[in-house]
Amino acid sequence: MSEAGNSRPKTGARAGARTWPLGEAARAAGLVPFGVRAWQALIERLRGWAHAEAGAGRLLPWVPVSFGAGIALYFAADHEPIAWVAALAAAGFGAAAVALRRQRVFALAVLIAALAAGFATVALKANRIAHGVLARPMHSVGLQGFVETHEERDKTDRFVLRITQMDVSRDPIKFERVRLSVKKGTAPQVGSFVELKARLTPPLQPLRPGAYDFGRDLYFQNIAATGFVMGAIKPRPPPGEIGFALRYAATMQGLRDAIDARIRLTLSGDNRAIATALLTGRRDAISVPVNDAMFVSGLGHVLSISGYHMAVVAGVVFFAVRALLALIPALTVTFPIKKCAAAAALAAALFYLLLSGAEVATQRSFLMTAVVLIAVMVDRQAITFRTLAVAAMVVLTLSPEALVHPSFQMSFAATLGLVALVQIGMPKLLASPDNSATARAALWGAREIMVLGLASLVAGLATTPYAAFHFHRVTPYGVLANLLAMPVVSALVMPAGLLGLAAMPFGFDGVFWRLMDIGIDWMIVVAEGVAALPGAVGRVAAFGSGPLLASTLGLILLGLLRTPLRLSGAAVLGLAIGWALLTPQPDILVAADGRHVAVRGADGRLRVMQDGKDAFLLKEWLAADADGRAVTDSSLAEGVSCDAAGCVAPLPDGGLVALARRPEAVAEDCERVRLIVTLRQPPADCAAPVIDQDSLRRQGAQILWQTGGRFAAIAVRPRGVDRPWSPAVPEDRDTAGGGTSGAGASAGADITPQRRAPTSADATPPESERSDQD
C-alpha cells in the first residue's frame, strides 16, 4: 500500500495546535519569529501536561474535591435551600454525566454532578434533622430524659440529655437534646434516666464575624440549647426501653470508664489524662497549661486520635500476629499469614474506632487504614490517592457537616501531604545507591529519622493554613518537637498502652501503665521545653475564608497534579499567604451581649470597655488580633475611662467610642462621640450612629472599620441571612434616628477627646456569669 494510503490525521497534543498565520514558504525557510515559536512551544507543552493530567485513573481523586465544594456552597447560602429541589438537580446532573460518558466533556460533567451531589447531600441531612433552636435564655426549666454522652473537663463535667419531658411555664416549646454542664464529678452515667432543673441558654454564636460557629456544630448534633444544672440530679425509672443505640453508648462509656479507672490506680494528673486520651479519646481532663504547651509545640495532634494512632494500633497488631504465626513453620508454607495478620489488624482498628468515640478524624483514619489492610488482603497497592478519595467520600457522605470542622480539614490536609510524599517523594528519597556508607547509616536509623522529619514537616506545612485560620497560631518548632517526642510515643507509649488493654482482663496491666507514664513524662517535657523557646508561639491575625479557600486549592493542586502543572499550586499558596497577611484588622469589635467593646488605639493594640467579665470572649478577640496579652493584663484598660454611667475609649484620630449603661449617658454621648454601643433606647434625634440592643439581637457580634469619617460594619448575621442554626430575628421596630448598626452611617464631625471621671470601675469591672458553651 502506498505511503499516501497509509497516512492518517494527526492526533494527540499536536492535532489541534494553532499555527502562526505566516506563509508556507516563510515557515519552510525558518523565518517564524523566535517569540512566536516559543509561545507555540509553551502552548503545546501546557496542552500535553493537561492531557496527561486528564488521563485514565486521574479523575477519581477530584470527585471528593468537587463533592466537598458542593457542601461548601450549601454553607455559604443566605437561607436554607429546598432539599427536594437540590436532590432533583443532583439527579439531573448525574443522569447528564452518564449520558455524556463517551464524550470529551465527561470528566467535567462528572465533577459538576459531584458538586451538585455534595450540595444535595448536606441539604437533605439538614432537612432530615431539622429542629428548633432556643432563642432566649430560660430559667429553672424542668427536664426528664436519658443521658447520652458524658465528658469530663478541667473544671466541670458536661453531658447531653435526650429529653422525653420538658416543663416550662410560658411556651409549650420542646427540644430533642440539650447539653448541660454540672459540677465536676457529679455528671450522671450514660444510659441513665434522670430528672433535673436547668438554666438553658441559646447555643453560642460566633464571637466575632468569621469565628467558629459553635451553634452550627451543635445543630448538626441535634442539640438545641446549652446550660447549667440547677440543684440535684434525681435518677428515675425509665419510662420504657432505652433502645439499642443508648445501650451501646452506655456499654462503650462503661468500658472507657473502666479503662480510666485502671489507669487512675497507677497514674495521676496530666499523665493519667493523656494516657486515657490516647486509648479512649477522652482528652477533656488535661490541664490548660499542658494542653496549651502541646498545641504550641506542635504535639497537639497526639491528643486527638487520628491517622497516626490508628496506624500504630494496626501496625503493632499486624506485626505481632504475623510474628506469632511465623513461629509455626507449617503455617508459613501453607497458610497466608500476612493476610490473616491484616484481618486481625483490621479488627483491632475497628475496636479502637468504637472505643475512641468515632470522631471525624478517627473515622477518616479507620477508613484509610481499612482500605490499606484490605489492599494487603487482596494483593493490591495500598497507599494511593484513590484510598484517600474513597475515605473522603465516605466521611462526607455520612457527615457532610464535617467539611467546615477544623478536625476534618487538618486531618485530610495532613494525609494528602503524606500520601503525596509517599507516592512522589519517597521513591526518589529511597532510591539512593546501596553502598556501604549508606547501608551503615540506614542501620543506625538515619534514613528513618530523615523520613520522620520530612513527614512531620510536610504534615505541619499542610495543616498550617487551617491552624492559622481557626486557632490564629502556627508552630515554628513543630518539626523539632515531633522529632524528639514521636519516636518515644511510637516505640513506647502506644505499644505499652495496647499491651495494657490486652493485659487488663488478667490483672497484669499495671506495669504497662507505668511504661506509658515514662514516655508521657518525656512527651510533656518536650512540649513544655519547645513551647518555652523564643518565638515558639507563632501568632497569626484573623483573616477571611477567601485566603483559606485559596490555600486549600493550592494544596490540592500540589498534591493531586503529577506534571509540572503542580507548581501552580505553589503560586496559589503564595497568593493566599499574601492575601491573609494583608487582611486589615478592625478598628472596633462589639460583642453580641453589648457589654464588651474593643477599640484599637493609636499604638495598634486593642483597648477593652466591658460591663462585666467574659474571659473566653476576650481570649478569642486577643488571639484573633495576634495579641499575646493575657485577659487580665492591665494594659487592656489603658486610655479607657469609666464611671457608673458608662465608658469611653479613644480612636487613633482622637474620636471617641462610648459604651453607655444609662439613658442619660446615651443622650450625652450623642453629641460628643463617634459611635455609641448601648442596651438602652437611643434618642430619636441622636447625631451619632448607635449599635443598640435590637441591632445586636438581630445581627449578633459586629466588627467595624472607620473609613473617611464613616463606619463600615460586618455582622455575624447580616441582613437577609437565615439559617436553621442561626435563624433570623424579625425586626420588632425600625430603629429611629441614629439607632442603626453603624454600617456606612455618618460618624459626624471630629470630636475633641474627652473623658469621664475615672472611678474604681476602671480597675475592677463588675463580674458577670457566662455559660460554659465552648
Side-chain angles (χ1 to χ4, degrees):
M1 188 175 290
S2 66
E3 181 179 350
N6 288 334
S7 64
R8 296 181 181 179
K10 293 182 178 181
T11 60
R14 295 178 177 269
R18 182 178 180 182
T19 59
W20 189 256
L22 296 175
E24 292 292 337
R27 286 196 296 272
L31 299 180
V32 179
F34 174 77
V36 176
R37 294 199 306 271
W39 177 255
Q40 289 179 340
L42 176 61
I43 294 299
E44 290 189 10
R45 183 68 59 86
L46 291 175
R47 184 173 295 162
W49 289 340
H51 285 179
E53 294 294 353
R58 296 292 178 85
L59 178 61
L60 180 60
W62 290 96
V63 172
V65 174
S66 187
F67 191 85
I71 297 173
L73 282 179
Y74 164 85
F75 286 108
D78 288 339
H79 60 83
E80 193 64 14
I82 301 175
W84 66 267
V85 173
L88 285 179
F93 282 115
V98 173
L100 296 171
R101 63 187 180 278
R102 299 185 184 278
Q103 305 299 319
R104 290 185 176 181
V105 296
F106 173 66
L108 179 61
V110 169
L111 295 182
I112 294 176
L115 185 144
F119 188 92
T121 298
V122 64
L124 288 170
K125 179 168 184 178
N127 182 72
R128 177 173 57 84
I129 67 170
H131 61 87
V133 175
L134 183 65
R136 297 178 182 275
M138 302 176 67
H139 300 272
S140 191
V141 180
L143 301 173
Q144 290 185 7
F146 292 97
V147 178
E148 290 191 331
T149 66
H150 170 209
E151 298 177 59
E152 182 179 340
R153 301 176 62 79
D154 184 37
K155 297 180 179 179
T156 62
D157 289 350
R158 290 196 311 207
F159 64 93
V160 172
L161 187 71
R162 191 181 75 198
I163 300 172
T164 59
Q165 183 175 340
M166 181 173 179
D167 299 325
V168 293
S169 58
R170 45 182 189 182
D171 300 325
I173 189 170
K174 298 294 181 183
F175 296 130
E176 184 176 353
R177 288 178 178 84
V178 295
R179 191 181 69 188
L180 302 172
S181 295
V182 68
K183 185 179 177 181
K184 190 172 180 65
T186 62
Q189 293 296 317
V190 173
S192 59
F193 186 80
V194 297
E195 179 182 1
L196 54 86
K197 285 188 177 294
R199 175 181 180 268
L200 300 181
T201 56
L204 184 63
Q205 297 297 309
L207 300 176
R208 60 187 301 278
Y212 188 73
D213 194 340
F214 298 96
R216 180 186 60 205
D217 194 19
L218 292 177
Y219 180 83
F220 280 93
Q221 299 177 43
N222 283 316
I223 295 176
T226 60
F228 294 97
V229 172
M230 303 173 62
I233 300 175
K234 304 173 184 177
R236 292 287 185 262
E241 290 292 330
I242 65 174
F244 171 78
L246 200 54
R247 286 199 299 271
Y248 161 78
T251 300
M252 297 309 299
Q253 185 65 42
L255 183 57
R256 297 185 196 105
D257 291 340
I259 294 172
D260 183 54
R262 294 292 300 178
I263 295 175
R264 195 186 296 267
L265 293 176
T266 306
L267 309 183
S268 61
D270 287 312
N271 290 39
R272 189 270 302 177
I274 292 176
T276 299
L278 294 175
L279 297 178
T280 69
R282 290 170 47 176
R283 58 184 182 272
D284 298 305
I286 302 172
S287 67
V288 173
V290 171
N291 189 70
D292 288 344
M294 294 288 289
F295 280 94
V296 169
S297 65
L299 292 176
H301 66 92
V302 179
L303 304 179
S304 176
I305 294 178
S306 57
Y308 163 75
H309 305 77
M310 197 67 68
V312 171
V313 170
V316 168
V317 173
F318 177 84
F319 288 110
V321 172
R322 189 177 184 183
L324 289 174
L325 294 177
L327 295 176
I328 307 175
L331 293 180
T332 60
V333 179
T334 61
F335 200 68
I337 59 175
K338 182 178 179 181
K339 296 181 180 181
C340 291
L346 181 60
L350 177 60
F351 174 75
Y352 192 43
L353 171 74
L354 301 177
L355 179 65
S356 63
E359 293 185 352
V360 171
T362 318
Q363 293 177 29
R364 190 272 310 159
S365 306
F366 171 75
L367 290 171
M368 287 286 294
T369 304
V371 173
V372 168
L373 293 173
I374 292 173
V376 171
M377 296 165 65
V378 298
D379 298 319
R380 297 292 298 272
Q381 186 178 1
I383 303 176
T384 66
F385 288 106
R386 291 189 176 191
T387 306
L388 181 61
V390 170
M393 284 300 298
V394 173
V395 171
L396 290 178
T397 301
L398 296 177
S399 304
E401 70 279 4
L403 181 79
V404 293
H405 198 279
S407 175
F408 176 92
Q409 296 169 4
M410 299 180 73
S411 177
F412 272 92
T415 307
L416 175 64
L418 293 175
V419 173
L421 178 64
V422 169
Q423 290 212 314
I424 301 173
M426 287 299 188
K428 299 178 181 178
L429 180 66
L430 301 179
S432 57
D434 189 18
N435 54 48
S436 58
T438 302
R440 285 196 300 270
L443 287 175
W444 284 99
R447 181 174 293 179
E448 285 72 15
I449 294 175
M450 181 173 58
V451 170
L452 176 60
L454 189 58
S456 299
L457 178 63
V458 169
L461 291 176
T463 57
T464 293
Y466 308 97
F469 179 80
H470 292 289
F471 309 115
H472 316 299
R473 61 189 176 195
V474 295
T475 55
Y477 301 120
V479 174
L480 173 62
N482 280 274
L483 284 175
L484 293 174
M486 296 313 296
V488 175
V489 177
S490 302
L492 178 62
V493 176
M494 289 299 297
L498 295 177
L499 291 173
L501 291 178
M504 195 171 68
F506 307 99
F508 296 102
D509 51 308
V511 61
F512 299 110
W513 306 140
R514 283 188 283 273
L515 289 175
M516 283 192 79
D517 191 35
I518 296 172
I520 292 173
D521 272 336
W522 171 249
M523 185 170 62
I524 293 176
V525 167
V526 170
E528 293 179 339
V530 171
L533 293 176
V537 183
R539 296 185 175 87
V540 180
F543 52 89
S545 57
L548 184 70
L549 293 175
S551 298
T552 301
L553 176 60
L555 290 172
I556 291 172
L557 293 176
L558 277 173
L560 296 187
L561 296 184
R562 293 291 174 273
T563 66
L565 286 176
R566 76 164 68 98
L567 297 179
S568 63
V572 173
L573 275 174
L575 291 175
I577 293 172
W579 188 358
L581 295 178
L582 294 176
T583 301
Q585 296 306 301
D587 296 314
I588 302 171
L589 297 90
V590 181
D593 61 3
R595 299 181 182 275
H596 299 78
V597 180
V599 180
R600 193 171 304 280
D603 60 353
R605 299 202 302 176
L606 295 177
R607 304 294 188 269
V608 180
M609 299 181 288
Q610 51 187 334
D611 185 12
K613 283 187 178 179
D614 191 336
F616 184 71
L617 170 72
L618 296 183
K619 185 177 180 181
E620 166 63 22
W621 279 4
L622 292 173
D625 208 53
D627 192 330
R629 290 178 292 175
V631 297
T632 56
D633 196 316
S634 60
S635 64
L636 290 173
E638 286 181 1
V640 177
S641 296
C642 296
D643 59 18
C647 300
V648 292
L651 290 162
D653 62 0
L656 296 177
V657 177
L659 173 61
R661 300 185 181 119
R662 295 181 179 178
E664 60 270 21
V666 178
E668 176 188 348
D669 291 331
C670 282
E671 303 299 330
R672 58 195 293 267
V673 304
R674 296 278 182 85
L675 178 73
I676 301 173
V677 179
T678 183
L679 299 180
R680 303 294 181 178
Q681 174 67 31
D685 58 348
C686 186
V690 179
I691 298 178
D692 62 5
Q693 186 175 22
D694 184 61
S695 170
L696 294 169
R697 183 172 61 88
R698 286 186 284 105
Q699 297 186 284
Q702 302 179 28
I703 55 178
L704 299 93
W705 291 265
Q706 185 179 214
T707 55
R710 303 171 66 89
F711 286 107
I714 297 178
V716 166
R717 290 192 300 270
R719 294 179 184 274
V721 174
D722 183 15
R723 303 310 299 267
W725 54 88
S726 183
V729 179
E731 297 190 28
D732 296 334
R733 58 179 177 80
D734 291 330
T735 307
T740 67
S741 65
S746 174
D750 290 338
I751 301 175
T752 304
Q754 302 179 38
R755 291 189 177 183
R756 304 179 192 274
T759 67
S760 60
D762 294 339
T764 312
E767 294 282 347
S768 67
E769 185 184 29
R770 183 183 187 279
S771 60
D772 180 21
Q773 300 185 90
D774 57 308

